[in-house]
Amino acid sequence: MKKITRGTALLAACVTATALAGCADSGGETGASANLTIATLTLPQSLDPADATGSALPFFQAVYDTLVKREADGSFNPMLATKWEYNSDRTELTLTLRGDVKFDDGSPFDAAAVKANMERFAKGTGASAKTLQDVESIEVVDKTHLTLNLAQPNPAMLHYLSDAAGLMANPAGFGKSGDPLKTRPDGTGPYDLDPGRTAIGTKWVYKRAPDYWGARLPYNEVTFRYFNNETAIVNGIKTGQINAALLQAADQQLRIESDPKVEATKQEFDFQGLLLFDRDGKITPALGDPRVRQALNHAIDRKTMLDKLRQGRGELTDQVFGTQTAAYDKRLDTYYAHDQAKARDLLEQAGYADGFTLKLPRITAIVPDALAASLKTDLGAIGVEVVWDVIDPSQVKRIYTEREYSAMVMNVGQSSNDWVTIGGLVLPGIGNMFGTTDATVQKLLPKIQATSADKAQADLRALNEHLVEDAWFVPFYRMSYLHVSDGSVKIKPQAGMAVPSIYNYAPA
């Protein structure tokens, strides 16, 4: 796979070594030759990049390169695209591509292949297809240059090109009967899937691609093993069947940390909180008053929740932007003190001295008994009666399509990209299902959208502060996850992702 001419091609690969950690000489390999086994709770239904999602991205990164490489700290470096440039109003993004990469059948990776991949991805039914909704057209200039024409500026576009939307497959497999890419991926990545040793749904084995165009990753083989619970994963780490894993449950983190052989790295990623969709008060009139939403924030005893529900594993927060974004402001983590007297006073000012009823959906995998009881107690203390409506995951259309509920408890991943957070929680969509907005948001968003995050930091922080002050949400805390290995592997957490990229593992 990925056949290129040695010599000048290797020199070109070394030029982009900042993006690809290390570079091989003309006759050797970098790093160790060990094998790596990673445990996962993610079960991808397909290895076709059109179906890719962020949580399963490493399965795809093994066999498909992205146009842009997202480093562990969230910064961008060249990969299949060596250069990119916006026009003055950021509605055109021009990409310069590598010209020395080929697919297995000898067909070239070129601008036409990129256009075919992106148009197919955008028209597909995958969960990430919407990330290319601002791409109106793609103009192929020549084999190594193309331009994305955008309907409006999108500050997350490079992020998307380093994610699912940027995965590049061989167009020769598009439209073939049986959808061969679902089980036989064909890309330009550092590994090839070994179908003879892979059991889809249980184990995926990737072996080193012998003619990979870029710097080689340190492992000859990478295996993903699926587990349906973290107890089994911890057992696998302890017995040496697994080299690396991510643990989300606090009890399993506690269980493994005392093992002297285990290497552990902490990462805050998801925030858990109450998303208030009905800020116009269409279903629950009380939520239309910001004083009521502020009262809910003051009523929650976040510290006790964190201590009791997660054994203190996390960080309290009152904001939805993650620590690696330009919008993040540390002082907003403690904006709302736990003050139930103040909460009751705010309710009285808003005309709800006798409280009101808040009906919430409860999917038990997200809202276990202890969390449900904690929220019911805290909000009940200020006169807000929480009524839990237990629903099966198959009934989520009641939440997202039929919009029966004014709010719900969710775990939300905190991206390292500000506009991804805005797109997920502020713009109309799943995180803002009722499409509510206000004058401050409408004033700030166009300014943020028209430039890069570093230049828009003041406006991003103003937006963040407004969302907190106006109580668009009721965040509880950022949850600490634990990356663990059997001691043979160094794991570097990936900014804005719970699971590390395939590039973030190295021998200890």
Side-chain angles (χ1 to χ4, degrees), residues 208-226:
R208 187 190 298 282
D211 297 312
Y212 182 52
W213 62 268
R216 299 185 180 188
L217 300 184
Y219 296 99
N220 276 340
E221 291 185 357
V222 175
T223 298
F224 292 98
R225 289 186 57 191
Y226 171 72

Side-chain angles (χ1 to χ4, degrees), residues 172-189:
F174 296 172
K176 284 190 173 181
S177 62
D179 295 321
L181 290 175
K182 289 182 178 293
T183 56
R184 299 281 181 128
D186 184 359
T188 67

Side-chain angles (χ1 to χ4, degrees), residues 85 232 254 260 415 439 453 470 477 494:
E85 185 177 6
L254 284 166
S415 174
D470 205 57
Y477 38 69
Q494 179 71 39

Side-chain angles (χ1 to χ4, degrees), residues 57-65 162 167 189-190 497 500-503:
L57 198 58
F59 286 86
F60 296 86
Q61 290 173 327
V63 286
Y64 302 105
D65 293 315
S162 71
L167 295 164
M497 285 175 54
S501 290
I502 193 73
Y503 325 111

Side-chain angles (χ1 to χ4, degrees), residues 249-285:
D251 58 341
Q252 296 304 324
Q253 293 179 25
L254 284 166
R255 182 177 161 223
I256 201 170
E257 276 184 330
S258 59
D259 190 323
K261 300 188 300 295
V262 170
E263 293 290 333
T265 303
K266 187 178 77 168
Q267 179 187 15
E268 272 78 37
F269 178 62
D270 282 6
F271 81 84
Q272 188 171 72
L274 185 62
L275 302 191
L276 304 177
F277 305 127
D278 190 17
R279 290 181 291 273
D280 289 335
K282 294 178 180 177
I283 297 177
T284 306

